[in-house]
Amino acid sequence: MRSYSLDEIRKTFSSSTDFNEIFDVFQSALAQQINDVELYRLLFWNQSLTADEIRLFGEKIAAEFHDLAFDVFLWLASVFEVTTATDDNYELAVHYYQKAAAIKPDVPDPYLDACDCYDPDLNIPPLGILLEFIRRGLEHVADPVPLYRRMASLFEMVGDMDQSDHYRRKADEAEEHPPAEPPPSA
């Protein structure tokens, strides 16, 4: 297998429209053990790739470089959140936010970012799935206030003011009585 320089890889990932060429360069990057998330971000934003091709590359990177998996899944989610396709990519975005949260469940970003995907007119992604994801996050994040506030906002969007008020109260209570900070380690 031919080895490519970083410049060749960057150029191919960002501007090539030939899947076979991109795949060959990608395989070479993996074989060279290049684990630079910035380099792979160029690949994710390549406009010539289909959603399935982007997923193929992202899943392979995450499997190959476990230390990059969280960032890769967040980037895949952000790509699917802003791209349009014949199928709605918001569900793919939430899927990858869930995968990121599975790696670092105590980090609030995947939960909060997933809320940005919600389209109340189309109920995409389905509100129930999104709310269940956020509820799981509440079990892990140190500061639940931002998640409570997002849940209140989501319920308000769909006109459920009772639930919206409930989560606003929970956020206010959590702000008034924050969890005790752990003692400094000796």
Side-chain angles (χ1 to χ4, degrees):
M1 173 182 297
R2 178 179 167 216
S3 289
Y4 295 87
S5 71
L6 282 175
D7 286 338
E8 290 173 310
I9 295 170
R10 277 188 196 94
K11 183 178 180 190
T12 302
F13 283 179
S14 63
S15 60
S16 179
T17 58
D18 179 353
F19 176 79
N20 291 327
E21 177 185 25
I22 295 169
F23 188 78
D24 288 346
V25 171
F26 175 76
Q27 290 289 91
S28 175
L30 292 183
Q32 293 177 63
Q33 290 292 298
I34 299 172
N35 67 348
D36 177 3
V37 74
E38 296 298 325
L39 179 68
Y40 295 113
R41 286 178 185 167
L42 295 172
L43 176 64
F44 298 152
W45 289 108
N46 184 314
Q47 298 294 312
S48 72
L49 297 175
T50 67
D52 286 340
E53 291 166 346
I54 293 169
R55 291 179 73 186
L56 168 86
F57 290 130
E59 294 282 347
K60 183 78 172 154
I61 295 165
E64 186 78 22
F65 305 114
H66 298 288
D67 58 321
L68 296 182
F70 179 78
D71 290 327
V72 165
F73 291 145
L74 280 181
W75 268 96
L76 285 173
S78 67
V79 167
F80 291 123
E81 186 177 344
V82 299
T83 58
T84 56
T86 54
D87 299 323
D88 200 300
N89 287 335
Y90 284 155
E91 290 180 6
L92 275 176
V94 171
H95 171 75
Y96 283 107
Y97 284 129
Q98 289 172 330
K99 288 186 83 133
I103 295 169
K104 293 184 180 181
D106 59 326
V107 176
D109 295 352
Y111 309 106
L112 296 172
D113 292 347
C115 293
D116 295 335
C117 295
Y118 185 64
D119 182 332
D121 295 331
L122 301 174
N123 192 34
I124 298 173
L127 183 61
I129 290 171
L130 193 53
L131 291 171
E132 181 56 34
F133 176 51
I134 298 166
R135 285 185 184 110
R136 285 193 315 264
L138 287 168
E139 298 171 9
H140 301 284
V141 298
D143 180 10
V145 172
L147 296 184
Y148 286 141
R149 295 226 182 272
R150 287 293 177 97
M151 288 182 79
S153 177
L154 287 170
F155 278 115
E156 185 176 328
M157 276 188 226
V158 297
D160 189 340
M161 295 313 293
D162 289 340
Q163 285 294 316
S164 179
D165 291 342
H166 170 75
Y167 284 103
R168 282 194 207 314
R169 282 191 302 277
K170 288 184 85 64
D172 292 342
E173 290 169 8
E175 281 182 333
E176 290 174 15
H177 306 289
E181 291 191 30
S185 54

